[in-house]
Amino acid sequence: MAKLSIDLKAGKVKKQSNMIVGIDLGTTHSLVAYIKDGTPLAVKGRQHKNTLVPSIVHFDEYNKIVVGDKAREKLISHPERTIYSVKRLMGKSFNDIRGIKEHLGYEIIDEDEERLVKVKVGNRFYTPVELSSEILKELKERMEKELDAVVSKAVITVPAYFNDTQRQATRDAGKLAGLDVLRIVNEPTAASLAYGVGLDKELEETVAVYDLGGGTFDISILEIRDGIFEVLSTHGDTFLGGDDFDRAIMEYWIKEYELENKGRNFISALRLLAEEAKKSFSTSSHFKGGIAGDTFELEKSVFEGLVEPIVERTLDSCKKALADAELKTDDINKVILVGGSTRTDLVKQQVAAFFGQPVYDDLNPDEVVALGAAVQADVLAGNQKDVLLLDVTPLSLGIETVGGLMDVIIPRNSKVPSRAGRNYTTSVDGQTNLKVSVFQGERDLVKDNRKLGEFILKGIPPMPAGIPKIVIHFIIDADGILKVKAMEERSGVRAEVEIRSQYGISEEEMALMLLESLKNAASDMKAKALLEAKIEAKTILLSADKFMKLNVAILTGEEMLKTRSLTDALAKTVEGDDKDAIENAMHELNTYTQPLAHRAMDHTISSAMKGKKI
Ligand code: ADP
Ligand code: MG
């Protein structure tokens, strides 16, 4: 299988760089790094100050987008237009975020439980992918200033526990930002690479990566053999981090200085002061600071007493991770510290004591993941001769789904051999045949990709739409031959094809297809989002119709009229091409009919109860 060298000269205007950059797309901070004169380096911002970019996106009154430090300033004044912690929403459906919603200051629309979440700002809807792409664009720009050239290739890191959907969402965000994402790398793997772990193929090692960030904690146990990283176990807490340290200090001060009834702005200022105090303990043992004339003080020893129970909780997770990996602390060869909060001395001491060995903390803990991503990028670029590159699929492979959309089953750059499956169902009642069309390429609509073949799964017993369980498997063997199998699980009906035509495509053709996909990423994603909104609106319209017919007796005349006018309005938007108009119309219809639906349900249940004989 080919290794790609993509010629991106078509961009013309600016010099093109072949540099592959490493990006840490974090919950609280993000940053970009690259290899400069053989050493990984994190890139600083405009005023050459900070390498860290707050992962915050603000929309001003004109919907102009501001990212990073400038956006952070708006957190308190414009919480409803300032989006933080987007990473927590990546690849998540409404069902997945039940417990998270309350923690966020902006509006997350909550309509369909299976659908991926969206964020509502003003009367526009944004996907977490779009929001993350804004952060990535900022980093790309930063890198381009540094190199004075256009950058278009990247490695992006994700937590080891990210699932397929979350990884795919991260890939999509990169693409939307104009980046060809050559690989998604686990954060603990990147941190290990930054310390050189895995670059010597003779060495077999087991490492523990302890990552305490702003709002999340992860512990990962990795085994490295023949240059391949395997995650043995991960544990953690998605709501535990430096923010809790700040809160502990704040609560202490509130008690100590009797500040119970101060206003919201004071509390925000106090929180910032608490963070300042926490950070100061890396270099001094006493803190003194002020807000509007009032002075607040804290001893390092008191601080340590406050956060000790929090650190203890992280060690409980470490115990569990070790148990899951069936290892003892003696089996761990290296302990690597990641995340800004591991700058706290107490954390370092406690972790070292727990594992019974000194910890690796020479590199900046909030940069180490990005630095490692840059190392991985360098390996991919072929600059580290001794490190083996595994064979990968050069382009994504998938099938066509409703509306002509490409559904990727094996993403590009997956290791070969590879195997992946996904579940589908029918869209029409009584459907007995299903055509499976296999495509290769990076575009969102199959018409822009290359068709590899198709076959028909025949003889599905007639069932209502949505009931058949059709599993489609893609299997690529070591020679790169793709086999596609489809099976309807309820009846056992099956069919398969073998496709060899990956060899039919030249390297130039592949490079061209990739280039096209990057150039068209934004318009493709728009077209896809519009199509999806239309498909969804049509489903909602159908069920609204059904609902009205079924509940004539329960709804008042006024309710019928209002529902009818809302469905008419929605139907009208579906004719047009304005995605946000469709979303808004769906949102309005849903909001209006939800209480009606509950009432109808109560009615059905109570009449069922009445009819029940005891
Ligand atoms: P994430 O990976 O979640 O984006 P980071 O690794 O950037 O998070 O860590 C951010 C956290 O690190 C914040 O809570 C911040 O206050 C904390 N932090 C930064 N510097 C220090 C320091 N010197 N001492 C203690 N905590 C620190
Ligand atoms: Mg991090």
Side-chain angles (χ1 to χ4, degrees):
M1 216 148 286
K3 228 181 279 160
L4 298 175
S5 65
I6 310 156
D7 178 6
L8 286 161
K9 282 205 187 85
K12 276 178 284 206
V13 209
K14 247 194 156 184
K15 210 170 47 179
Q16 286 287 342
S17 167
N18 248 335
M19 180 69 70
I20 310 174
V21 300
I23 292 177
D24 173 5
L25 185 59
T27 311
T28 24
H29 295 120
S30 300
L31 69 158
V32 57
Y34 73 114
I35 303 287
K36 188 181 184 183
D37 309 325
T39 322
L41 177 78
V43 182
K44 287 185 176 149
R46 274 175 209 130
Q47 288 91 33
H48 296 285
K49 279 198 315 216
N50 232 328
T51 54
L52 302 180
V53 177
S55 304
I56 304 178
V57 181
H58 170 74
F59 295 83
D60 72 10
E61 307 87 286
Y62 311 104
N63 274 325
K64 205 171 105 34
I65 292 168
V66 185
V67 175
D69 288 311
K70 287 243 166 61
R72 176 151 66 181
E73 292 164 11
K74 307 286 182 188
L75 262 182
I76 295 167
S77 59
H78 298 85
E80 74 292 346
R81 310 189 131 261
T82 309
I83 317 300
Y84 60 94
S85 281
V86 175
K87 189 170 177 178
R88 296 186 186 279
L89 306 178
M90 287 290 267
K92 295 274 176 96
S93 70
F94 293 112
N95 262 342
D96 298 331
I97 56 154
R98 281 282 134 84
I100 304 180
K101 241 185 110 179
E102 297 70 48
H103 292 268
L104 306 172
Y106 45 90
E107 186 175 0
I108 296 180
I109 57 159
D110 183 356
E111 286 171 352
D112 185 326
E113 318 196 322
E114 315 260 296
R115 210 164 50 116
L116 294 183
V117 296
K118 278 188 193 154
V119 176
K120 188 164 184 261
V121 182
N123 54 5
R124 293 214 194 179
F125 296 80
Y126 298 93
T127 61
V129 168
E130 288 171 302
L131 295 165
S132 296
S133 87
E134 294 301 334
I135 298 168
L136 292 171
K137 278 183 204 163
E138 176 79 16
L139 296 173
K140 179 172 184 279
E141 211 170 277
R142 205 173 241 224
M143 194 67 227
E144 292 179 343
K145 287 233 167 76
E146 168 92 2
L147 297 178
D148 192 25
V150 175
V151 170
S152 48
K153 294 188 235 176
V155 166
I156 304 180
T157 59
V158 297
Y161 60 77
F162 256 29
N163 66 25
D164 213 47
T165 321
Q166 293 169 299
R167 284 166 199 262
Q168 189 57 42
T170 306
R171 249 172 216 286
D172 288 346
K175 196 161 130 185
L176 194 55
L179 290 169
D180 179 15
V181 182
L182 297 184
R183 194 162 290 181
I184 295 285
V185 183
N186 288 330
E187 286 162 12
T189 300
S192 307
L193 282 170
Y195 280 103
V197 173
L199 296 179
D200 180 352
K201 286 230 306 286
E202 305 299 300
L203 223 57
E204 281 190 25
E205 284 185 292
T206 306
V207 304
V209 181
Y210 177 102
D211 182 348
L212 190 61
T216 60
F217 169 67
D218 300 303
I219 171 79
S220 311
I221 312 282
L222 309 179
E223 187 180 70
I224 299 99
R225 212 186 289 163
D226 301 324
I228 295 172
F229 287 76
E230 190 184 345
V231 180
L232 297 182
S233 66
T234 68
H235 254 277
D237 189 325
T238 46
F239 284 96
L240 181 71
D243 297 347
D244 296 289
F245 291 10
D246 305 345
R247 200 170 308 124
I249 296 175
M250 219 173 61
E251 280 164 8
Y252 171 79
W253 275 341
I254 289 178
K255 253 211 214 122
E256 196 68 9
Y257 294 98
E258 297 176 6
L259 307 167
E260 273 82 10
N261 297 314
K262 298 274 191 169
R264 209 179 82 170
N265 285 354
F266 177 84
I267 295 296
S268 303
L270 196 65
R271 189 184 294 271
L272 290 179
L273 197 70
E275 186 178 6
E276 199 187 307
K278 170 185 78 177
K279 289 184 181 172
S280 79
F281 295 133
S282 300
T283 47
S284 81
S285 60
H286 179 80
F287 175 81
K288 191 169 172 177
I291 303 171
D294 292 331
T295 306
F296 301 94
E297 296 188 57
L298 190 65
E299 293 298 327
K300 183 170 175 177
S301 56
V302 174
F303 163 70
E304 295 191 333
L306 292 173
V307 300
E308 155 103 57
I310 305 172
V311 180
E312 196 57 46
R313 278 166 62 197
T314 67
L315 298 180
D316 285 340
S317 288
C318 294
K319 267 183 216 141
K320 288 184 192 140
L322 279 173
D324 283 357
E326 295 178 10
L327 294 175
K328 292 190 289 297
T329 51
D330 290 351
D331 301 319
I332 304 294
N333 305 115
K334 285 194 172 104
V335 179
I336 294 174
L337 296 190
V338 180
S341 299
T342 61
R343 286 214 158 96
T344 304
D345 287 334
L346 184 79
V347 173
K348 290 188 200 188
Q349 289 156 14
Q350 300 276 68
V351 176
F354 175 86
F355 284 101
Q357 55 191 294
V359 290
Y360 281 72
D361 64 348
D362 293 342
L363 297 171
N364 258 341
D366 34 26
E367 290 180 356
V368 62
V369 168
L371 297 177
V375 173
Q376 170 76 61
D378 203 42
V379 171
L380 285 176
N383 296 336
Q384 306 219 7
K385 296 281 171 299
D386 302 338
V387 182
L388 176 89
L389 263 178
L390 294 163
D391 254 354
V392 295
T393 53
L395 292 167
S396 300
L397 298 162
I399 64 162
E400 174 177 356
T401 55
V402 180
L405 290 176
M406 170 88 174
D407 199 29
V408 172
I409 294 183
I410 296 186
R412 96 185 203 78
N413 275 327
S414 296
K415 273 184 233 157
V416 168
S418 175
R419 190 189 168 92
R422 194 165 282 181
N423 294 317
Y424 297 90
T425 188
T426 51
S427 54
V428 180
D429 285 342
Q431 190 173 337
T432 53
N433 289 341
L434 182 83
K435 187 161 86 179
V436 179
S437 304
V438 182
F439 286 83
Q440 180 180 41
E442 309 311 307
R443 303 284 297 273
D444 288 323
L445 302 179
V446 291
K447 71 175 171 55
D448 300 318
N449 287 331
R450 184 191 157 92
K451 188 168 190 172
L452 297 180
E454 69 180 26
F455 63 97
I456 294 174
L457 179 63
K458 287 187 194 135
I460 304 169
M463 287 178 253
I467 297 298
K469 271 177 81 176
I470 296 156
V471 193
I472 296 186
H473 269 112
F474 275 41
I475 301 133
I476 307 178
D477 66 16
D479 298 323
I481 294 168
L482 170 68
K483 221 184 248 167
V484 180
K485 296 183 177 182
M487 175 160 129
E488 200 289 303
E489 284 200 330
R490 293 179 199 278
S491 57
V493 174
R494 57 179 83 220
E496 66 176 81
V497 286
E498 190 171 289
I499 292 164
R500 279 175 174 274
S501 56
Q502 271 193 72
Y503 290 115
I505 185 165
S506 71
E507 286 205 25
E508 287 92 287
E509 270 182 286
M510 271 194 267
L512 205 69
M513 285 177 79
L514 269 175
L515 187 58
E516 284 293 309
S517 84
L518 275 180
K519 276 208 303 222
N520 294 301
S523 61
D524 271 12
M525 245 174 245
K526 249 176 119 173
K528 180 178 171 186
L530 177 63
L531 250 172
E532 282 174 348
K534 284 189 177 187
I535 292 169
E536 200 193 345
K538 284 179 186 159
T539 318
I540 289 183
L541 282 172
L542 278 179
S543 53
D545 262 351
K546 222 182 200 169
F547 174 74
M548 283 192 286
K549 280 192 193 116
L550 281 174
N551 297 296
V552 190
I554 300 160
L555 302 178
T556 67
E558 193 193 335
E559 285 167 343
M560 287 294 257
L561 274 177
K562 176 79 181 163
T563 309
R564 175 55 65 203
S565 88
L566 287 171
T567 54
D568 286 349
L570 176 58
K572 203 154 169 213
T573 62
V574 175
E575 302 302 314
D577 285 333
D578 183 348
K579 184 205 67 148
D580 286 308
I582 300 176
E583 302 251 23
N584 270 312
M586 282 197 284
H587 188 51
E588 275 181 32
L589 177 62
N590 275 330
T591 313
Y592 183 73
T593 52
Q594 232 164 39
L596 306 186
H598 285 172
R599 210 173 72 216
M601 194 135 75
D602 289 346
H603 179 84
T604 318
I605 292 168
S606 73
S607 47
M609 301 261 276
K610 275 179 208 146
K612 202 169 171 185
K613 293 197 181 77
I614 303 171

